């Protein structure tokens, strides 16, 4: 038998009337890892989380914690704790009472409660906050108290329902790192759900990308970013240029695609074998495109999708300055708009608006997927 | 006119109705009643100032017994109203679907459109000797002779609870409605059972609403007149009845005024005591300081 997972879902399905919110999801999370479920709002991730916590009952399938089915257990009997989206700290109790609540429910002795409360406050870095009212805490502190309130109970799995959503950007960046640190410090399995891909990629050991109630792909952040297996994952994780088109022909190394606006590209099949004439979508990451300056005269000759490399001529339409992540917008001669990373090296080589440039990228940089809805597999 | 004086005038005009209402309908009558209560009759049309009317109240056990009885029954009615009203309010605010919620809330409000008098007569039709309940009991053979269900304390209490329960439900629904459901779910998630969640999360959260509802219900009950008289009859021994009797039957306005002031003081004292015991302040029942 395989190693026992902290949390395992087997074919979990949830229907609300005719609507299928979660459609046959199966996964196992090994002990002590940080697992994220990433998906747009309405993809079913919250429903899945609520089923794990016991607030919803699956229509089909099984949920196991530490190898034992928990379907027959009420929410208050499951050793799965949940950090709510808006944290749900009890406003009528102070910090210490909030943390002690779960221990008191368990019937832990008074002295032991005080000791463990102080201990967990120490671990989340707020050793003197016990007597504070919830209203006196900052957003980041509330976050840590919400986690402490769960962690004091030694859960098998900690579920987090987009807890960073309400924070401002600066604090969110900081809390990402802090959450990751807390997780490795406690060594508890975290299941984190979010619609923010950067949260999922930065913090997680493994990420499941969810769409329409299904897992599209489960893998390490690096895999999802570099080797997406579906068009949805390619489009949802990270930024991409995205063009619809059709397969012109194929060869052993990949396919040649003509986009709807007439651009010819060399691409590789990332999501299964394609046939000639298939409707496809091509994804190219901005960082895989290299930009070089060009004379206006040779720019037209440079357009070439016939070899192993893609070369496209165009003119700069605008610059999106964002420090190290700056981009330029290029309009190709066929009229496509392409986003590419602004080269960081050397002096500015004249990337002004209207300047002619040549864009070049490897065939493996353009990933080609059958267009959603026309995929023969479903 | 400059900006400042316009603003001042606007403020004054906005406040005027409120100030008039307070001054003419609250302060003035109470001041009048209070002066009246201190007037002692020494001979026809000859009066002196003194506490005699108040002393009479304490000298005559039937008076203060009636007041104590009224107060303790009002406390009982308030407690029963909470027990009846809380589950209804909880159901409306937290369990019922969005559509049903509006309908149920409206259903609670509809009886308010009918006057207290009509509602009290409704009870009389049901409970009198020849009433619906009595006839039904005879028809089923449970009793053989007509039973009189009116004119006892239990009926008065039931009638009062029915009259005032709404004033408990409304503030409770609005406080519970403002409570995030995730607080309840967090209560369960952290290991609490239904009882713990109710006792340690829902009730403390709803406390301002409970106190607000209890104050209104207590004051309404202690000051009610129609229901105790109609359902309790001659021996309902309600303090408002004493006041009425002094004013109207005995034409002893001085004594009636003193009783009125005493009722006000006594109920205020009870409310203050209740606030102290529940650890709430009057301000917190009106507005919640959100975290």
């Amino acid at each position: 038998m395989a190693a026992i997972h902290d949390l395992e879902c087997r074919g979990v399905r949830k229907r609300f009337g005719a609507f299928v919110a979660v459609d046959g999801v199966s996964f196992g999370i090994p002990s002590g890892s940080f697992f994220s479920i990433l998906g747009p709002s309405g993809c079913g991730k919250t429903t899945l989380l609520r089923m794990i916590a016991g607030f919803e009952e699956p229509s089909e399938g099984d949920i196991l914690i530490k190898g034992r089915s928990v379907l027959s257990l009420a929410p208050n009997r499951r050793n799965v704790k949940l950090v709510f989206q808006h944290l749900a700290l009890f406003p009528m109790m102070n910090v210490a009472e909030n943390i002690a609540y779960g221990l008191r429910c368990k019937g832990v002795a008074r002295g032991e409660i005080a000791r463990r409360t102080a201990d967990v406050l120490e671990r989340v870095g707020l050793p003197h906050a016990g007597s504070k009212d919830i209203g006196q805490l900052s957003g980041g502190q509330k976050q840590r108290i919400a986690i402490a309130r769960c962690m004091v109970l030694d859960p098998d799995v900690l579920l987090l329902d987009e807890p960073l959503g309400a924070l401002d950007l600066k604090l969110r960046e900081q809390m990402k790192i802090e959450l990751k640190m807390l997780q490795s410090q406690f060594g508890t399995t975290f299941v984190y759900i979010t619609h923010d891909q950067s949260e999922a990629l930065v913090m997680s050991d493994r990420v499941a990308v969810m769409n329409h109630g299904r897992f599209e792909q489960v893998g390490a952040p690096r895999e999802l970013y570099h080797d997406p297996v579906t068009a949805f994952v390619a489009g949802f994780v990270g930024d991409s240029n995205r063009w619809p088109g059709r397969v012109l022909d194929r060869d052993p190394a990949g396919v040649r695609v003509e986009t709807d606006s007439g651009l010819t590209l060399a691409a590789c099949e990332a999501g299964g074998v394609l046939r000639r004439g298939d409707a496809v979508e091509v994804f190219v990451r901005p960082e895989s495109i290299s930009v070089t300056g060009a004379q206006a005269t040779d720019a037209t000759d440079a357009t070439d999708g016939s070899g192993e490399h893609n070369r496209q001529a165009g003119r700069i339409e605008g610059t999106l300055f964002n420090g190290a992540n700056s981009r330029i917008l290029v309009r190709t001669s066929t009229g496509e708009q392409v986003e590419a990373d602004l080269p960081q090296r050397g002096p500015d080589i004249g990337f002004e608006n209207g300047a002619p440039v040549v864009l070049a990228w490897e065939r493996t940089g353009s990933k080609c997927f059958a267009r959603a809805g026309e995929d023969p597999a479903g | 006119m400059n900006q400042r004086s316009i603003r001042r005038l606007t403020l004054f005009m906005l406040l005027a109705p409120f100030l008039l209402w307070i001054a003419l309908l609250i302060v003035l009558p109470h001041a009048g009643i209070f002066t009246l209560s201190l007037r002692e009759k020494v001979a026809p049309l000859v009066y002196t100032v003194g506490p005699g009317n108040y002393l009479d109240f304490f000298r005559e056990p039937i008076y203060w017994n009636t007041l104590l009885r009224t107060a303790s029954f009002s406390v009982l009615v308030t407690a029963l109203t909470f027990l009846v009203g809380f589950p209804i309010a909880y159901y409306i605010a937290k369990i019922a679907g969005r559509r049903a919620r509006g309908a149920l809330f409206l259903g609670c409000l509809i009886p308010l459109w009918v006057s207290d008098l009509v509602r009290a007569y409704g009870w009389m039709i049901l409970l009198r000797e020849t009433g619906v309940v009595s006839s039904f009991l005879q028809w089923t053979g449970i009793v053989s002779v007509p039973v009189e269900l009116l004119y006892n304390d239990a009926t008065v209490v039931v009638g009062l609870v029915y009259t005032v329960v709404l004033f408990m439900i409304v503030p409770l629904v609005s406080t519970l409605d403002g409570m995030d459901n995730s607080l309840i779910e967090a209560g369960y998630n952290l290991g609490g059972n239904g009882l713990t969640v109710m006792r340690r999360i829902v009730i403390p959260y709803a406390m301002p609403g409970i106190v607000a509802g209890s104050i209104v219900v207590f004051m309404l009950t202690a000051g009610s007149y129609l229901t105790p008289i109609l359902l309790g009859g001659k021996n309902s021994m309600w303090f408002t009845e004493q006041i009425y009797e002094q004013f109207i039957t005995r034409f002893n306005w001085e004594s009636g005024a003193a009783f009125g002031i005493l009722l006000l003081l006594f109920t205020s004292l009870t409310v203050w005591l209740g606030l102290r015991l529940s650890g709430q302040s009057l301000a917190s029942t009106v507005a919640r300081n959100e975290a």
Side-chain angles (χ1 to χ4, degrees), chain B:
Chain B
M1 239 193 302
N2 64 17
Q3 202 65 33
R4 222 183 125 118
S5 52
I6 290 175
R7 209 175 296 160
R8 202 177 295 166
L9 184 69
T10 317
L11 182 71
F12 178 74
M13 283 173 57
L14 284 171
L15 276 177
F18 174 71
L19 291 175
L20 283 175
W21 173 64
I22 287 276
L24 295 178
L25 296 175
I26 310 279
V27 178
L28 199 64
H30 276 88
I33 293 277
F34 185 66
T35 10
L36 194 60
S37 73
L38 290 173
R39 206 166 65 163
E40 284 176 41
K41 201 179 208 172
V42 283
L45 295 174
V46 182
Y47 301 97
T48 56
V49 172
N53 295 312
Y54 292 93
L55 294 176
D56 279 349
F57 169 82
F58 290 105
R59 269 186 225 124
E60 188 61 69
I62 188 133
Y63 293 153
W64 51 263
N65 274 335
T66 311
L67 183 55
L68 281 181
R69 181 181 142 88
T70 306
S72 43
F73 267 74
S74 300
V75 170
L76 176 69
V77 167
T78 308
L80 288 175
T81 308
F82 171 69
L83 290 180
V84 173
F86 191 83
I88 299 172
Y90 190 81
Y91 186 86
I92 292 176
K94 290 284 155 222
I95 299 171
R98 197 167 299 165
R99 274 247 201 92
R101 187 177 306 176
L104 286 170
F105 204 43
L106 193 68
C108 285
L109 288 174
I110 282 175
L112 257 199
W113 297 349
V114 179
S115 90
D116 274 5
L117 187 65
V118 174
R119 286 194 281 164
Y121 273 117
W123 277 109
M124 294 175 81
I125 291 169
L126 287 178
L127 298 180
R128 67 183 173 208
E129 223 171 337
T130 53
V132 175
V133 175
S134 175
S135 313
F136 178 76
L137 289 178
Q138 288 175 77
W139 178 76
T140 54
I142 294 173
V143 292
S144 49
V145 286
V147 277
E148 178 60 270
L149 295 165
L150 284 173
Y151 315 124
N152 60 58
D153 290 349
T155 308
V156 173
V157 169
V158 169
L160 281 169
V161 168
Y162 168 73
T163 325
V164 294
V165 71
L166 197 63
F167 297 93
M168 182 65 89
I169 293 177
V170 172
L172 280 180
V173 168
S174 67
T175 3
L176 289 173
D177 216 23
M179 179 180 191
D180 190 351
N181 280 338
S182 64
L183 287 178
I184 298 171
E185 288 182 346
Y188 283 109
N189 181 258
L190 293 166
N193 55 30
L195 196 70
T196 327
V197 171
M198 194 49 80
R199 194 171 55 84
R200 300 218 33 225
I201 294 164
V202 179
I203 303 261
Y205 188 95
M207 211 52 187
I210 296 172
V211 171
S214 299
I215 291 176
V216 174
V217 162
F218 176 78
M219 287 301 213
L220 280 177
T221 312
S224 69
Y225 178 73
L226 272 175
T227 314
I229 299 296
L230 292 177
L231 300 184
K234 280 264 179 281
N235 43 16
S236 69
M237 300 271 287
W238 211 253
F239 197 65
T240 48
E241 215 181 320
Q242 291 284 358
I243 300 177
Y244 178 88
E245 197 179 294
Q246 297 296 335
F247 270 106
I248 308 296
T249 318
R250 302 230 200 136
F251 215 67
N252 186 350
W253 279 43
E254 293 75 22
S255 169
F259 284 10
I261 295 288
L262 283 166
L263 179 64
L264 179 69
L265 289 179
F266 197 77
T267 47
S268 305
L269 187 78
T270 314
V271 167
W272 176 80
L273 210 67
L275 284 172
R276 284 301 295 273
L277 287 176
S278 65
Q280 297 286 314
S281 73
L282 208 52
S284 75
T285 64
V286 181
R288 171 182 290 275
N289 301 322
E290 266 308 337

Side-chain angles (χ1 to χ4, degrees), chain A residues 294-304 311-314 333 356-358:
Chain A
Q295 295 304 315
T297 44
D298 55 59
T300 40
D301 308 333
T303 302
D304 176 17
R311 271 168 75 79
Q312 302 291 336
S333 45
V357 286
V358 174

